[in-house]
Amino acid sequence: MKRNPPVIPSVVKDQRLVKERRQQIVEGAVRLFIKKGFHKTTTREIARACGLSIGTMYEYIQSKEDVLYLVCEYIHTELETRLRKSLYESDTARDSLRKCVENLFYTVDEMSSLIVLIYQEAKSLPKELMSYVLQKEEEITGIFENILIKGMEDGTLSVDENTVKLMAHDIMVIGEMWAFRRWALKRHYTIDQYTKRQMALILDKLIPREG
Amino acid sequence: MKRNPPVIPSVVKDQRLVKERRQQIVEGAVRLFIKKGFHKTTTREIARACGLSIGTMYEYIQSKEDVLYLVCEYIHTELETRLRKSLYESDTARDSLRKCVENLFYTVDEMSSLIVLIYQEAKSLPKELMSYVLQKEEEITGIFENILIKGMEDGTLSVDENTVKLMAHDIMVIGEMWAFRRWALKRHYTIDQYTKRQMALILDKLIPREG
Amino acid sequence: MKRNPPVIPSVVKDQRLVKERRQQIVEGAVRLFIKKGFHKTTTREIARACGLSIGTMYEYIQSKEDVLYLVCEYIHTELETRLRKSLYESDTARDSLRKCVENLFYTVDEMSSLIVLIYQEAKSLPKELMSYVLQKEEEITGIFENILIKGMEDGTLSVDENTVKLMAHDIMVIGEMWAFRRWALKRHYTIDQYTKRQMALILDKLIPREG
Amino acid sequence: MKRNPPVIPSVVKDQRLVKERRQQIVEGAVRLFIKKGFHKTTTREIARACGLSIGTMYEYIQSKEDVLYLVCEYIHTELETRLRKSLYESDTARDSLRKCVENLFYTVDEMSSLIVLIYQEAKSLPKELMSYVLQKEEEITGIFENILIKGMEDGTLSVDENTVKLMAHDIMVIGEMWAFRRWALKRHYTIDQYTKRQMALILDKLIPREG
DNA sequence: GATGAATGAGCATTCATTCAT
DNA sequence: GATGAATGAATGCTCATTCAT
């Protein structure tokens, strides 16, 4: 069952201002979290980085964990938006998959620090917020699940019904792997090579058997 | 270039004692790190959990990060040992791969909290220790790389030379994914189903073209 | 020497408005002070409770301590008003005392949280305001002092001149004790029993010796 | 039902040391609480006043409220000890009462700031600790209750059975009143006068009716 | 007169590490 | 080699008050 996004309460009422300031906060915090990690970043540093006084910052959040949540939400929104962009451009599901996976790989490349951030820090979220973040992760995986289902329908992709979800997760993880294993992969592959080869592996498996 | 394992200095000289006590420390710390994470676990808690006084514990380590390193090393050693167990039992590389991948999946299942722990906390290691941990991760990946190379030689596996490393990483990550995506995967697959289906996907790609 | 009530400056000039708004503030604050104490109540909470914005509230006071003073003054005014109500109804001083003491006990019963509030929080007032509050307390005690003096004059009460003040304070404190020891007294006495028995003790001492 | 004294946990195990350090803490804190009140005293000030570092102080308490409890307990213990001192010296209950009340008055005089402290700050204790403090207050009141009961038995004091508890509370409150109304009483009475006159009032009421 | 966003000094508390015994 | 009391810098967070609108 789909859960509504958690509401982070703020003292300030003006919703336009809340949105604007929170964007500021996220921008400041992301940089710091990437560089030092969530726990080693202090609230004072975040405040300084986003140009607010510590008191003002706390008018827009309730705790440091809220900042982490806002950051995770921002990353997921950004990721989802980018992935959905290449979604409706293709005729066949096979073609759609190719485009979306390619898009995934290049997006992960550009957002790699952010992807890693979620992998490493989401665990520090309070339960309620964490489970929403996980749900979001699943929704994003759902993008690929849907393409695979379409491919089953239009006959351009060959997947077992029971393997659809698995394949979708595989694709996501193979994509994100470029972020969290980049220390090893970068020494042997460029993002272009990575994309081309992984794409081949993925699509090969999905060739519909002829005849 | 292969680096030697970092030496964690200890005040105590008796090497047998050092090993024994550090094993104690690791056992206490692992439980806590899994439950609360590295940062939220205090050194006092670790000392209590491993039955040493805080002062005594510090005779065997130099900092809290050292404990994290010992834990990571323990996990990697355990993982590598288990993976290598199924290594030399097979005739063909293809057969060997099948066994090792299966072993990987079931091992990840049993060690899933530990796998996740490394993913989430290794970033808190000091540079020097972290890069040794990453190297270890690569060594483990090397197990599969070697099988694939053997498969190229004995003709039982079809891999492009340039894709060997990639495939090895894919296998590792598909395996570990059962740990760090278990919140989603467990709802749809048992470890047996997961193993069977992923194995099929992996091996399909590697069928040598006949004729 | 009787001091004039301290003037709490306000930015707003319209005296009618000042009085009205301050009444609002007191009503909101009293509830909160009783429930959480002065220090644990925030100015924001007071503002919310009295339906003013924090900015507007500060147009009518100068500091949080001012609110406490207004509250103390309100309580004392209320107490004094109630006590004076039963003052001029009797012929003899003895009769007057009986009525006033009874009134005191029942009034303390009804205002017990307020009485306790003054006991516990008045110390947080700035010097100047505090000493006015103490003076007010003494004025209220004076009500009983006057009755006792009248009783010396009309011969219906037997008190030593040097004991008059003491007796007046005794009466006040025995009355207020029902508020600040209610946790113990309520388990053994109703307010009716308390009133009857204390009254007996007080009046017995004051029977004029005959002959 | 009599409750056991709450146990304030301490990190330090050595009970002798705990007792010693807590005594230090109480001595430092009492002075500050009297001067500035509980809320306006900072933990740093307490630490400085008792000659411990802030970290060390927190090895012996768990929160600032614990300090307040220790202070209250110290005051009550001191008070009770002093009151019990004059308890077993007399033949008749009447005589005993005289001595004990006199002792009460002079003790309150010497401890007046401490008495006031409990009146004003006990409300800031957490529920559990507060109710123990109230129980202690009742136990102390019990000293006078017992004397009155003895007086009923040996015929040297005339009290109604139903008024015993009330009288005991009256005595305590009349005694403590010298502390919390000293700003008014000191202007008119010395402690000797206060004692003599209140004693007369109390004992008069308790004269057994002859014949 | 009314509003409420902004401020930042100040607070209680924690915790990795040391070192005298 | 073992112990655990001592340390104090550092942290997340609060809140009375102001002032531009």
Side-chain angles (χ1 to χ4, degrees), chain C residues 10 26 28 45 61 67 69 112 123 151 168 171 175 183 185 188 207:
Chain C
S10 98
V26 165
E45 286 173 317
I61 55 163
V67 178
Y69 172 72
S112 61
K123 64 154 200 306
I171 289 168
W183 46 270
L185 297 170
H188 304 289
I207 297 172

Side-chain angles (χ1 to χ4, degrees), chain D residues 141-157:
Chain D
T141 308
I143 297 176
F144 293 98
E145 205 180 327
N146 286 333
I147 300 177
L148 293 172
I149 290 168
K150 286 229 180 72
M152 286 167 64
E153 291 163 4
D154 75 1
T156 59
L157 293 172

Side-chain angles (χ1 to χ4, degrees), chain D:
Chain D
M1 163 213 44
K2 191 163 161 178
R3 183 194 309 245
N4 287 327
V7 175
I8 306 296
S10 87
V11 173
V12 173
K13 297 296 170 219
D14 179 345
Q15 281 310 308
R16 204 189 44 73
L17 195 53
V18 169
K19 208 171 168 184
E20 188 183 317
R21 290 273 187 266
R22 284 186 176 172
Q23 188 55 32
Q24 263 179 280
I25 293 172
V26 165
E27 275 159 27
V30 154
R31 271 204 319 279
L32 290 165
F33 289 174
I34 287 171
K35 200 168 71 187
K36 325 179 50 174
F38 173 68
H39 281 103
K40 294 209 174 155
T41 301
T42 69
T43 51
R44 277 174 170 76
E45 287 173 317
I46 299 171
R48 199 179 317 125
C50 66
L52 299 175
S53 73
I54 183 71
T56 300
M57 187 172 88
Y58 267 91
E59 300 262 300
Y60 296 92
I61 54 162
Q62 299 217 310
S63 69
K64 197 184 164 192
E65 276 76 26
D66 281 355
V67 178
L68 181 56
Y69 172 72
L70 292 176
V71 164
C72 289
E73 194 204 29
Y74 161 78
I75 294 173
H76 270 153
T77 302
E78 183 70 19
L79 181 60
E80 191 173 13
T81 307
R82 292 214 201 181
L83 293 188
R84 288 202 187 282
K85 246 181 203 154
S86 56
L87 201 52
Y88 303 107
E89 304 170 354
S90 308
D91 286 343
T92 66
R94 183 173 187 82
D95 206 42
S96 180
L97 184 67
R98 198 193 315 275
K99 276 186 182 145
C100 282
V101 169
E102 196 178 281
N103 186 12
L104 170 68
F105 288 0
Y106 285 104
T107 299
V108 167
D109 184 50
E110 281 165 27
M111 295 177 64
S112 62
S113 314
L114 303 177
I115 304 291
V116 172
L117 185 55
I118 286 202
Y119 264 82
Q120 289 174 342
E121 308 292 8
K123 66 156 198 306
S124 298
L125 289 169
K127 255 197 165 61
E128 159 77 7
L129 297 179
M130 164 131 60
S131 69
Y132 184 72
V133 166
L134 296 183
Q135 177 189 299
K136 194 85 185 188
E137 188 90 29
E138 223 167 342
E139 272 173 52
I140 295 174
T141 308
I143 297 176
F144 293 98
E145 205 180 327
N146 286 333
I147 300 177
L148 293 172
I149 290 168
K150 286 229 180 72
M152 286 167 64
E153 291 163 4
D154 75 1
T156 59
L157 293 172
S158 144
V159 218
D160 179 345
E161 197 182 340
N162 295 317
T163 319
V164 165
K165 252 183 212 304
L166 206 57
M167 277 293 308
H169 279 283
D170 283 359
I171 289 170
M172 277 298 290
V173 165
I174 294 289
E176 292 179 340
M177 165 180 145
W178 178 251
F180 58 72
R181 292 217 157 196
R182 60 167 34 220
W183 45 269
L185 297 169
K186 274 241 166 171
R187 287 209 305 276
H188 305 288
Y189 307 99
T190 66
I191 178 62
D192 290 336
Q193 291 169 331
Y194 184 81
T195 302
K196 196 184 305 177
R197 289 175 192 167
Q198 293 285 29
M199 185 86 82
L201 291 174
I202 290 168
L203 288 178
D204 275 4
K205 299 191 260 193
L206 298 167
I207 298 172
R209 294 166 199 279
E210 297 169 30

Side-chain angles (χ1 to χ4, degrees), chain A residues 36-40 65 119-124 133-135 137-138 141 160-170 172-174 176-177 180-181 183-185 187-189 193-194 197-198 201-202 204-205 209, chain B residues 36-40 65 119-124 133-135 137-138 141 160-170 172-174 176-177 180-181 183-185 187-189 193-194 197-198 201-202 204-205 209:
Chain A
K36 324 177 54 173
F38 173 68
H39 280 103
K40 294 209 172 154
E65 276 76 26
Y119 263 83
Q120 289 174 341
E121 308 292 7
K123 66 154 199 306
S124 298
V133 166
L134 295 183
Q135 177 191 299
E137 188 90 29
E138 224 166 341
T141 307
D160 179 345
E161 197 181 341
N162 294 318
T163 319
V164 166
K165 252 183 212 303
L166 206 56
M167 277 293 307
H169 279 283
D170 282 359
M172 276 299 289
V173 165
I174 295 288
E176 292 180 340
M177 162 180 147
F180 58 71
R181 292 219 158 194
W183 44 270
L185 297 169
R187 288 209 306 276
H188 304 290
Y189 308 99
Q193 292 169 329
Y194 185 81
R197 288 172 193 170
Q198 291 284 30
L201 291 174
I202 290 168
D204 275 3
K205 296 192 276 196
R209 293 163 201 280
Chain B
K36 323 178 52 174
F38 172 69
H39 280 102
K40 294 205 173 158
E65 276 76 27
Y119 263 82
Q120 289 175 343
E121 307 292 7
K123 66 157 199 305
S124 297
V133 166
L134 296 183
Q135 179 190 299
E137 188 91 28
E138 224 167 342
T141 308
D160 180 345
E161 195 183 342
N162 293 319
T163 319
V164 166
K165 254 185 211 302
L166 205 55
M167 277 295 305
H169 279 283
D170 282 0
M172 277 298 289
V173 165
I174 295 287
E176 292 179 340
M177 163 180 146
F180 58 71
R181 291 218 157 195
W183 45 271
L185 296 170
R187 287 210 306 276
H188 304 289
Y189 307 99
Q193 291 169 331
Y194 185 81
R197 288 174 193 168
Q198 292 285 28
L201 291 174
I202 291 168
D204 274 4
K205 297 192 260 192
R209 295 167 198 276

